[in-house]
CSV table of all heavy atoms in Angstrom, one decimal:
chain,number,residue,atom,x,y,z
A,390,ASP,N,-39.8,22.3,39.9
A,390,ASP,CA,-41.2,22.4,40.5
A,390,ASP,C,-41.3,22.2,42.0
A,390,ASP,O,-42.2,21.5,42.4
A,390,ASP,CB,-42.1,21.5,39.7
A,390,ASP,CG,-42.2,21.8,38.2
A,390,ASP,OD1,-42.0,23.0,37.9
A,390,ASP,OD2,-42.4,20.9,37.4
A,391,GLY,N,-40.3,22.7,42.7
A,391,GLY,CA,-40.3,22.5,44.2
A,391,GLY,C,-39.9,21.2,44.7
A,391,GLY,O,-39.9,20.9,45.9
A,392,ASN,N,-39.4,20.3,43.8
A,392,ASN,CA,-38.9,19.0,44.1
A,392,ASN,C,-37.4,18.9,43.9
A,392,ASN,O,-36.9,19.7,43.1
A,392,ASN,CB,-39.6,17.8,43.4
A,392,ASN,CG,-41.1,17.8,43.7
A,392,ASN,OD1,-41.5,18.0,44.8
A,392,ASN,ND2,-41.9,17.5,42.7
A,393,VAL,N,-36.8,17.9,44.5
A,393,VAL,CA,-35.3,17.8,44.4
A,393,VAL,C,-35.0,16.3,44.2
A,393,VAL,O,-35.6,15.4,44.8
A,393,VAL,CB,-34.6,18.4,45.6
A,393,VAL,CG1,-35.0,17.7,46.9
A,393,VAL,CG2,-33.1,18.3,45.4
A,394,ARG,N,-34.0,16.0,43.4
A,394,ARG,CA,-33.5,14.7,43.2
A,394,ARG,C,-32.0,14.7,43.7
A,394,ARG,O,-31.3,15.7,43.5
A,394,ARG,CB,-33.5,14.2,41.8
A,394,ARG,CG,-34.8,13.8,41.2
A,394,ARG,CD,-34.7,13.3,39.8
A,394,ARG,NE,-35.9,13.1,39.1
A,394,ARG,CZ,-36.5,11.9,39.1
A,394,ARG,NH1,-36.0,10.9,39.8
A,394,ARG,NH2,-37.6,11.7,38.5
A,395,TYR,N,-31.6,13.6,44.4
A,395,TYR,CA,-30.2,13.5,44.9
A,395,TYR,C,-29.5,12.4,44.2
A,395,TYR,O,-30.1,11.4,43.8
A,395,TYR,CB,-30.2,13.3,46.4
A,395,TYR,CG,-30.7,14.4,47.3
A,395,TYR,CD1,-32.1,14.5,47.7
A,395,TYR,CD2,-29.9,15.4,47.7
A,395,TYR,CE1,-32.5,15.5,48.5
A,395,TYR,CE2,-30.3,16.4,48.5
A,395,TYR,CZ,-31.6,16.5,48.9
A,395,TYR,OH,-32.1,17.5,49.6
A,396,LEU,N,-28.2,12.6,44.1
A,396,LEU,CA,-27.2,11.5,43.8
A,396,LEU,C,-26.6,11.1,45.1
A,396,LEU,O,-26.0,11.9,45.8
A,396,LEU,CB,-26.2,11.9,42.8
A,396,LEU,CG,-25.1,10.9,42.5
A,396,LEU,CD1,-25.7,9.7,41.8
A,396,LEU,CD2,-23.9,11.5,41.7
A,397,THR,N,-26.8,9.8,45.5
A,397,THR,CA,-26.3,9.3,46.8
A,397,THR,C,-25.0,8.6,46.7
A,397,THR,O,-24.6,8.2,45.7
A,397,THR,CB,-27.3,8.4,47.5
A,397,THR,OG1,-27.5,7.2,46.7
A,397,THR,CG2,-28.7,9.1,47.7
A,398,ALA,N,-24.3,8.5,47.9
A,398,ALA,CA,-23.0,7.9,47.9
A,398,ALA,C,-23.1,6.4,47.6
A,398,ALA,O,-24.2,5.8,47.8
A,398,ALA,CB,-22.4,8.1,49.3
A,399,PRO,N,-22.1,5.7,47.1
A,399,PRO,CA,-22.2,4.3,46.8
A,399,PRO,C,-22.5,3.4,48.0
A,399,PRO,O,-23.0,2.3,47.8
A,399,PRO,CB,-20.9,4.0,46.1
A,399,PRO,CG,-19.9,5.1,46.6
A,399,PRO,CD,-20.8,6.3,46.8
A,400,TRP,N,-22.2,3.9,49.2
A,400,TRP,CA,-22.4,3.1,50.4
A,400,TRP,C,-23.8,3.2,50.9
A,400,TRP,O,-24.2,2.5,51.9
A,400,TRP,CB,-21.4,3.4,51.4
A,400,TRP,CG,-21.3,4.8,51.8
A,400,TRP,CD1,-22.1,5.6,52.6
A,400,TRP,CD2,-20.3,5.8,51.3
A,400,TRP,NE1,-21.7,6.9,52.7
A,400,TRP,CE2,-20.6,7.0,51.9
A,400,TRP,CE3,-19.3,5.7,50.4
A,400,TRP,CZ2,-19.8,8.2,51.6
A,400,TRP,CZ3,-18.5,6.8,50.1
A,400,TRP,CH2,-18.8,8.0,50.7
A,401,VAL,N,-24.6,4.1,50.4
A,401,VAL,CA,-26.0,4.3,50.9
A,401,VAL,C,-26.8,3.2,50.4
A,401,VAL,O,-26.9,2.9,49.2
A,401,VAL,CB,-26.5,5.7,50.4
A,401,VAL,CG1,-28.0,5.8,50.7
A,401,VAL,CG2,-25.8,6.8,51.0
A,402,THR,N,-27.5,2.5,51.3
A,402,THR,CA,-28.4,1.4,50.9
A,402,THR,C,-29.9,1.7,50.9
A,402,THR,O,-30.7,1.0,50.4
A,402,THR,CB,-28.2,0.2,51.9
A,402,THR,OG1,-28.4,0.7,53.3
A,402,THR,CG2,-26.7,-0.3,51.8
A,403,GLY,N,-30.3,2.9,51.5
A,403,GLY,CA,-31.7,3.2,51.6
A,403,GLY,C,-31.8,4.7,51.7
A,403,GLY,O,-31.0,5.4,52.4
A,404,ALA,N,-32.9,5.3,51.1
A,404,ALA,CA,-33.2,6.7,51.3
A,404,ALA,C,-34.7,6.8,51.5
A,404,ALA,O,-35.5,6.0,51.0
A,404,ALA,CB,-32.8,7.4,50.0
A,405,ALA,N,-35.0,7.8,52.3
A,405,ALA,CA,-36.4,8.1,52.7
A,405,ALA,C,-36.7,9.6,52.9
A,405,ALA,O,-35.8,10.3,53.1
A,405,ALA,CB,-36.8,7.3,53.9
A,406,GLU,N,-38.0,10.0,52.8
A,406,GLU,CA,-38.4,11.3,53.0
A,406,GLU,C,-39.1,11.4,54.3
A,406,GLU,O,-40.0,10.6,54.6
A,406,GLU,CB,-39.3,11.8,51.8
A,406,GLU,CG,-39.9,13.2,52.0
A,406,GLU,CD,-40.8,13.5,50.8
A,406,GLU,OE1,-41.0,12.7,50.0
A,406,GLU,OE2,-41.3,14.7,50.8
A,407,ARG,N,-38.8,12.4,55.1
A,407,ARG,CA,-39.4,12.6,56.4
A,407,ARG,C,-39.8,14.0,56.7
A,407,ARG,O,-39.0,14.9,56.3
A,407,ARG,CB,-38.5,12.1,57.5
A,407,ARG,CG,-38.9,12.3,58.9
A,407,ARG,CD,-37.9,11.9,59.9
A,407,ARG,NE,-37.7,10.5,60.0
A,407,ARG,CZ,-38.6,9.7,60.6
A,407,ARG,NH1,-39.6,10.1,61.2
A,407,ARG,NH2,-38.4,8.4,60.6
A,408,ASP,N,-41.0,14.3,57.3
A,408,ASP,CA,-41.4,15.6,57.7
A,408,ASP,C,-40.9,15.8,59.1
A,408,ASP,O,-41.4,15.2,60.1
A,408,ASP,CB,-42.9,15.7,57.6
A,408,ASP,CG,-43.4,17.2,57.8
A,408,ASP,OD1,-42.5,18.0,58.2
A,408,ASP,OD2,-44.6,17.4,57.7
A,409,LEU,N,-40.0,16.8,59.3
A,409,LEU,CA,-39.5,17.0,60.6
A,409,LEU,C,-40.5,17.5,61.6
A,409,LEU,O,-40.4,17.3,62.8
A,409,LEU,CB,-38.3,18.0,60.6
A,409,LEU,CG,-37.0,17.6,59.9
A,409,LEU,CD1,-36.0,18.7,59.9
A,409,LEU,CD2,-36.5,16.3,60.5
A,410,LEU,N,-41.6,18.2,61.1
A,410,LEU,CA,-42.6,18.7,62.0
A,410,LEU,C,-43.5,17.6,62.5
A,410,LEU,O,-44.3,17.9,63.4
A,410,LEU,CB,-43.4,19.8,61.3
A,410,LEU,CG,-42.9,21.2,61.4
A,410,LEU,CD1,-41.5,21.4,60.8
A,410,LEU,CD2,-43.9,22.2,60.7
A,411,LYS,N,-43.4,16.4,61.9
A,411,LYS,CA,-44.3,15.3,62.4
A,411,LYS,C,-43.4,14.1,62.7
A,411,LYS,O,-43.2,13.2,61.9
A,411,LYS,CB,-45.2,14.9,61.3
A,411,LYS,CG,-46.2,16.1,60.9
A,411,LYS,CD,-47.0,15.7,59.7
A,411,LYS,CE,-47.9,16.9,59.3
A,411,LYS,NZ,-48.7,16.6,58.0
Side-chain angles (χ1 to χ4, degrees):
D390 298 329
N392 296 323
V393 60
R394 288 183 185 268
Y395 291 95
L396 176 67
T397 61
W400 53 83
V401 170
T402 57
E406 177 182 2
R407 173 183 291 281
D408 186 353
L409 291 180
L410 270 61
K411 301 174 182 177

